[in-house]
Amino acid sequence: MTGLHHNLTETASDAAIDTACRVLRLPTMRAQFPDLVARAEREQLSYRGFLAELLMSECEDRDRRRSERRIRAAGFPRQKWLSDFDYSANPNVVPAVVNNLATCDWVKKGEPLCLIGDSGTGKSHLLIGLGTAAAMAGCRVRYALAAKLVNELVEAADEKQLSKTIARYGRVDLLCIDELGYLELDRRGAEMLFQVLTEREEKNSVAIASNESFGGWTKTFTDPRLCAAIVDRLTFNGTIIETGTESYRLAQTKARTAKTNTRSA
C-alpha cells in the first residue's frame, strides 16, 4: 500500500482529485469540488465538515439520478406532479387523501387504488403524479394503457411468452393502468388481464384510472363473474377516489373562450 503524497502544489492536488473522481466514478464530487473548496475556505469549515459536504452532495445527486431513471423506466406518457394538481377546480378530490397516498405506504403494503370519474376530471394526473411519487420514493413503477397492456399480453401468448410477460408485470412495486373501461375487451384479453391482477394480488400494488363506475365495467368485461372477480381484486383493502363528472379541461376551455369573446366584444 502506497503512502500519502505530501507537499503537492494546489494545481497538482486539483489534478489528482479530478483523476481520482473519474476513476472512482464520482461525477458530482468532481463537478462541485471547486465551488465547495471555495465555500469551505470562505466559511472556515473543518476538514470533517468539508468532507461531509462533499460526500453528501454525491449521495444526493446519486439519489436524484436513480429517481430519474425509475421515472423514465415507468413509461409515463407525460410529466405530471401532485404539486400541480388544482384542488380548487375539483372539490371532489380531498387533498388530505392524496397527501396520505403520496407517502407511498399503500404501495409498500401492496394495496390497490382506483380513480373513477369522467374524462377531464384529473384521474390520469393523479395516477401519473402518484406513480411518480412512488418512483421517487424508490419503488419500481410501470405505467400502461389498459388496451395496450391487453394487446401486449395477447401477442405474448401467441409467441408462447405469456408467463414471462405476466411475471415481468408482477415484479414491479406499482402497476398503473390508465383508461380502463374505455374499450370492450374480449374474453381472452380480459382473462389475461385478470391473470396479471391475480399475480399481484396482496403482494404488489395496482392503481387504475377508469371513466366508468364499477357498475359499468360489465361493458368492458362482458363476463359478469370475471368482472366481479376483477372488481374484487382492485378494491380489496384499497382506496377509491371518485373525481366526479365535471371536466376540468372543458371548464378551462369554456373560460378561455368566454374571455376571448369578451375581449372581441
Side-chain angles (χ1 to χ4, degrees), residues 201-218:
E201 186 181 12
E202 295 187 53
K203 293 185 296 184
N204 294 317
S205 290
V206 176
I208 65 99
S210 177
N211 66 325
E212 282 283 358
S213 62
F214 296 120
W217 281 23
T218 50

Side-chain angles (χ1 to χ4, degrees), residues 251-265:
Q252 280 191 320
T253 302
K254 285 181 177 178
R256 283 197 300 268
T257 303
K259 188 179 290 186
T260 301
N261 291 340
T262 301
R263 288 173 179 169
S264 299

Side-chain angles (χ1 to χ4, degrees), residues 2-232:
T2 58
L4 293 173
H5 295 282
H6 297 286
N7 301 321
L8 289 176
T9 64
E10 283 195 5
T11 302
S13 296
D14 289 346
I17 291 165
D18 188 85
T19 300
C21 287
R22 285 177 183 273
V23 171
L24 296 172
R25 297 180 181 178
L26 302 170
T28 306
M29 286 178 63
R30 179 171 171 260
Q32 295 188 9
F33 176 75
D35 290 340
L36 284 173
V37 166
R39 186 159 73 84
E41 290 174 343
R42 190 169 61 249
E43 298 177 7
Q44 296 184 320
L45 289 180
S46 66
Y47 293 134
R48 285 189 179 87
F50 169 63
L51 182 59
E53 290 275 354
L54 204 56
L55 291 172
M56 287 306 298
S57 67
E58 184 69 42
C59 290
E60 288 167 3
D61 202 49
R62 284 192 180 189
D63 284 343
R64 180 187 60 78
R65 292 198 301 272
R66 278 195 291 265
S67 292
E68 289 174 352
R69 283 196 297 271
R70 285 192 296 267
I71 291 170
R72 284 196 300 272
F76 297 120
R78 54 199 171 276
Q79 278 192 346
K80 292 290 182 182
W81 305 97
L82 292 177
S83 57
D84 296 330
F85 190 81
D86 189 352
Y87 293 100
S88 63
N90 192 341
N92 293 298
V93 180
V94 181
V97 173
V98 176
N99 291 338
N100 185 53
L101 290 169
T103 65
C104 302
D105 283 345
W106 62 286
V107 179
K108 294 166 188 171
K109 293 175 183 175
E111 295 173 349
L113 167 67
C114 295
L115 299 159
I116 310 293
D118 283 3
S119 296
T121 56
K123 301 184 305 299
S124 290
H125 188 141
L126 290 173
L127 185 70
I128 295 171
L130 287 167
T132 300
M136 292 179 69
C139 301
R140 294 166 299 172
V141 182
R142 182 69 186 160
Y143 170 97
L145 293 173
K148 286 189 176 181
L149 174 56
V150 170
N151 287 340
E152 183 181 346
L153 294 170
V154 170
E155 288 174 8
D158 292 341
E159 296 169 3
K160 308 290 193 245
Q161 298 291 316
L162 182 60
S163 295
K164 286 184 180 179
T165 304
I166 289 175
R168 189 174 75 249
Y169 278 106
R171 281 193 296 270
V172 295
D173 301 307
L174 172 61
L175 175 59
C176 300
I177 304 176
D178 207 352
E179 297 186 2
L180 186 65
Y182 280 73
L183 298 174
E184 180 182 324
L185 301 177
D186 62 25
R187 185 177 178 86
R188 186 184 181 212
E191 286 177 345
M192 290 178 187
L193 180 58
F194 178 69
Q195 287 182 57
V196 171
L197 299 179
T198 300
E199 178 74 14
R200 301 181 59 79
E201 186 181 12
E202 295 187 53
K203 293 185 296 184
N204 294 317
S205 290
V206 176
I208 65 99
S210 177
N211 66 325
E212 282 283 358
S213 62
F214 296 120
W217 281 23
T218 50
K219 289 182 283 186
T220 300
F221 307 103
T222 53
D223 183 314
R225 292 178 67 184
L226 182 60
C227 181
I230 287 173
V231 171
D232 182 66

